[in-house]
Amino acid sequence: KQWYQRRVAITAGLDQGRKDKALRLLKKKKFQDSLLEKTDVQLDNLEKMVQDIEFAQVEIQVVEGLKGGNEALDALHQIMSLDDVEKIMGDTEDAIAYQREIDDLLAGGGGVGQPDEG
């Protein structure tokens, strides 16, 4: 009978030891899971931060491009005024009209070697 009682006591002690060990392992697993979850959240935040920085860099390039374009337009405006452009367009229209008159004369046969009517 003593032997049986001792066996029951040893088994109960082992069971208690296993239970304590199992509880420690569960707590450790839960702690590691919470660390993994926090790490995932931090990684997500870092990825978003990197995307925001990349987008800001693109925005900076766009603004610098616009600035360069405005500087080029300002330089062009200093070289060529509105009056200059209007004069060039008028001269171009006059030259086109003159060329059409020449084309009409040549197409009409009123050129060389034909007697004038009149």
Side-chain angles (χ1 to χ4, degrees):
K1 189 171 179 172
Q2 278 184 341
W3 176 82
Y4 178 75
Q5 289 176 347
R6 202 167 83 189
R7 175 90 175 148
V8 169
I10 290 173
T11 304
L14 286 176
D15 287 345
Q16 184 61 36
R18 288 183 194 154
K19 184 176 179 181
D20 290 344
K21 186 176 181 179
L23 286 174
R24 281 193 309 262
L25 288 174
L26 282 174
K27 286 180 184 179
K28 184 177 180 181
K29 184 182 182 315
K30 189 181 267 190
F31 177 73
Q32 288 175 342
D33 287 346
S34 71
L35 282 180
L36 284 174
E37 188 174 320
K38 288 177 187 177
T39 303
D40 282 342
V41 169
Q42 290 173 345
L43 284 174
D44 289 342
N45 289 339
L46 284 175
E47 286 177 4
K48 185 178 181 325
M49 211 181 294
V50 167
Q51 289 173 352
D52 290 345
I53 290 170
E54 288 173 348
F55 184 73
Q57 289 172 338
V58 169
E59 286 178 326
I60 288 170
Q61 290 174 348
V62 168
V63 169
E64 288 175 353
L66 289 172
K67 183 179 174 184
N70 284 337
E71 291 171 357
L73 285 174
D74 287 342
L76 181 63
H77 292 159
Q78 290 176 1
I79 294 171
M80 195 180 312
S81 69
L82 187 59
D83 292 335
D84 292 339
V85 172
E86 287 176 350
K87 182 180 180 315
I88 291 170
M89 294 301 291
D91 291 346
T92 302
E93 287 176 10
D94 291 345
I96 291 171
Y98 185 73
Q99 185 61 45
R100 284 188 183 145
E101 287 180 29
I102 292 173
D103 291 344
D104 289 344
L105 285 172
L106 292 174
V112 181
Q114 293 189 1
D116 289 339
E117 291 182 24

